Amino acid sequence: MTTASTTPDTDAERTDLLAALADARAALIRTVEGLGDEQAGERPTVSALCPGGLVKHVTAMEKSWLDFVTEGPSAMSFALPEGVTWDDLAAGTATEFPMWAIEREKEFRMLPGETTAGVIRAYEEVAARSEKIILAVPDLSATHPLPEAPWNEPGGEWSVRRVLTHVLAETAQHAGHADILRETLDGRKAT
């Protein structure tokens, strides 16, 4: 995993946040290291989660939020098909599901042809891109309005700092989930 780089003009807060994120990423990667492709897709608990799927989800989540940093809310569209409401979607009664929801479901599974090495490589690429973006952003306080979605506060804005702390929290949370899955699979503790 990439570790936070420092340059003379990199501020301490940015360096500390990137270092904490690098630590959380490394904890997640440790949970899938040494797993075969089939094992990375196993769901050893009643949850639908699998170790490789968690890495895929965190990869997609981080990419999406860093796209938000660079492009604003247009990078995260949660549009619904015509005639479908959020209540329909939540109840599972939607006549059609939006592509973003279908893609999100795929994030949590190892799909045919996906490999543990490939999932890790994709995560490392996103991590390197994220670090470059965060190091290049002139001000961590810069904000964008949140995209419209029921889980976002209406009219809310997030700063780059808030996005970075959200990505860090999500990564750490899912590293813990993955650690439980790994221990259930073969007894190995990653943390």
Side-chain angles (χ1 to χ4, degrees):
M1 267 297 107
T2 304
T3 57
S5 305
T6 57
T7 61
D9 58 345
T10 303
D11 59 86
E13 177 188 25
R14 192 179 313 239
T15 301
D16 287 349
L17 287 169
L18 286 172
L21 181 54
D23 289 346
R25 286 187 194 119
L28 178 57
I29 292 301
R30 278 193 304 274
T31 65
V32 297
E33 286 178 332
L35 287 178
D37 300 337
E38 189 175 306
Q39 281 183 304
E42 286 186 34
R43 301 180 326 193
T45 67
V46 296
S47 165
L49 301 177
C50 67
L54 283 171
V55 175
K56 284 178 56 181
H57 168 67
V58 170
T59 301
M61 175 273 306
E62 182 171 326
K63 181 185 180 315
S64 179
W65 278 110
L66 272 290
D67 287 347
F68 172 81
V69 165
T70 60
E71 301 167 34
S74 64
M76 302 174 94
S77 173
F78 299 108
L80 297 177
E82 190 173 326
V84 174
T85 67
W86 286 105
D87 289 338
D88 295 333
L89 199 59
T93 58
T95 56
E96 183 181 354
F97 289 88
M99 188 53 68
W100 60 263
I102 293 167
E103 291 301 317
R104 186 168 187 273
E105 280 298 310
K106 291 178 185 177
E107 290 171 12
F108 287 98
R109 299 190 317 266
M110 292 289 286
L111 301 175
E114 290 182 328
T115 65
T116 307
V119 167
I120 291 171
R121 188 171 38 259
Y123 189 34
E124 290 171 338
E125 289 169 4
V126 166
R129 174 185 175 260
S130 296
E131 183 174 321
K132 286 178 186 173
I133 290 169
I134 295 302
L135 289 172
V137 170
D139 184 0
L140 294 180
S141 297
T143 63
H144 287 298
L146 289 169
E148 289 187 38
W151 52 84
N152 289 335
E153 63 181 278
E157 292 185 341
W158 273 18
S159 67
V160 175
R161 179 182 296 102
R162 178 66 179 95
V163 167
L164 192 52
T165 58
H166 176 72
V167 170
L168 173 57
E170 281 273 322
T171 303
Q173 178 182 19
H174 289 310
H177 293 150
D179 196 30
I180 291 167
L181 296 175
R182 178 62 187 257
E183 188 173 355
T184 304
L185 282 171
D186 64 9
R188 181 174 156 217
K189 296 178 184 178
T191 56

